[in-house]
Amino acid sequence: MRVTSTRNLITYFKGVDDPVEIVFFGDHQPGLCNDFIKLLNGKGNSGLTEQELENLYKVPFFIWTNYETDAQTVDVTSLNYLSTLTLERANIDLPAYNRFLAELMEKIPAINSRGYYSKKNECFMHVDDATGDEAKWIKAYNILQYNSMFDEKDRSSLLFPYLK
């Protein structure tokens, strides 16, 4: 979205009487072939550290409201938490699954298919390298993801009532 379009959108909704919350985010970095990435960084994807690989997943976001909310900065997060952050900002009671995600976010601030941010080690790590409490939370998250996406017969109606 162009800046002027964003500015126009926000200007319009500033004048609306009903409470409005707008979430702006990008869902991914552009897909580039490894040869092009190698031209850019001299290493390609295979030579990148875990932190450098995770940086490829970073996308900016912000949540704007036309009502008074405290400014908040989120240093490390991931897209899977965006719905929870959005609901919390709107002061909407979290559904069961988002309550789980809120707890997970406290333990593991960012996670995706290849890695997670380890609070214990203060760095990004591959999900297969998780140990202890972090490994338990990741396993629980994987089970819930599987239940939500593939387990139609035994899908949790408590956590995913909208997937009937």
Side-chain angles (χ1 to χ4, degrees):
M1 178 181 284
R2 293 188 343 243
V3 172
T4 57
S5 299
T6 303
R7 186 177 300 125
N8 291 345
L9 183 69
I10 289 174
T11 299
Y12 172 80
F13 280 107
K14 277 183 179 178
V16 172
D17 291 334
D18 292 324
V20 174
E21 176 179 81
I22 304 173
V23 179
F24 297 88
F25 76 100
D27 64 345
H28 60 82
Q29 295 288 330
L32 303 172
C33 72
N34 196 46
D35 289 339
F36 183 73
I37 292 172
K38 195 170 189 169
L39 283 172
L40 293 174
N41 67 17
K43 304 186 227 185
N45 283 336
S46 61
L48 298 177
T49 66
E50 193 69 37
Q51 181 66 49
E52 290 169 329
L53 283 167
E54 288 298 332
N55 285 340
L56 297 176
Y57 284 81
K58 282 185 177 180
V59 291
F61 80 95
F62 70 95
I63 301 172
W64 177 87
T65 63
N66 69 345
Y67 51 89
E68 191 66 34
T69 55
D70 293 333
Q72 179 184 3
T73 299
V74 179
D75 294 323
V76 178
T77 193
S78 48
L79 187 58
N80 58 313
Y81 297 132
L82 190 56
S83 64
T84 301
L85 293 168
T86 301
L87 292 168
E88 287 175 337
R89 173 63 52 158
N91 293 315
I92 295 173
D93 289 336
L94 297 179
Y97 181 64
N98 290 93
R99 287 194 305 270
F100 170 82
L101 288 177
E103 286 186 57
L104 178 64
M105 190 172 20
E106 290 295 317
K107 307 291 183 190
I108 301 185
I111 187 168
N112 57 47
S113 61
R114 70 161 290 98
Y116 75 102
Y117 186 81
S118 170
K119 288 176 83 170
K120 177 174 59 176
N121 297 304
E122 298 180 340
C123 65
F124 279 96
M125 298 177 57
H126 195 278
V127 290
D128 292 340
D129 296 332
T131 60
D133 207 33
E134 292 177 341
K136 289 177 189 174
W137 278 97
I138 290 171
K139 182 177 181 179
Y141 182 51
N142 288 338
I143 289 168
L144 291 181
Q145 284 182 311
Y146 179 87
N147 184 252
S148 145
M149 295 177 3
F150 304 113
D151 195 2
E152 292 179 26
K153 182 179 172 224
D154 293 318
R155 183 174 293 135
S156 170
S157 60
L158 171 68
L159 293 172
F160 310 111
Y162 45 83
L163 294 177
K164 289 187 179 222

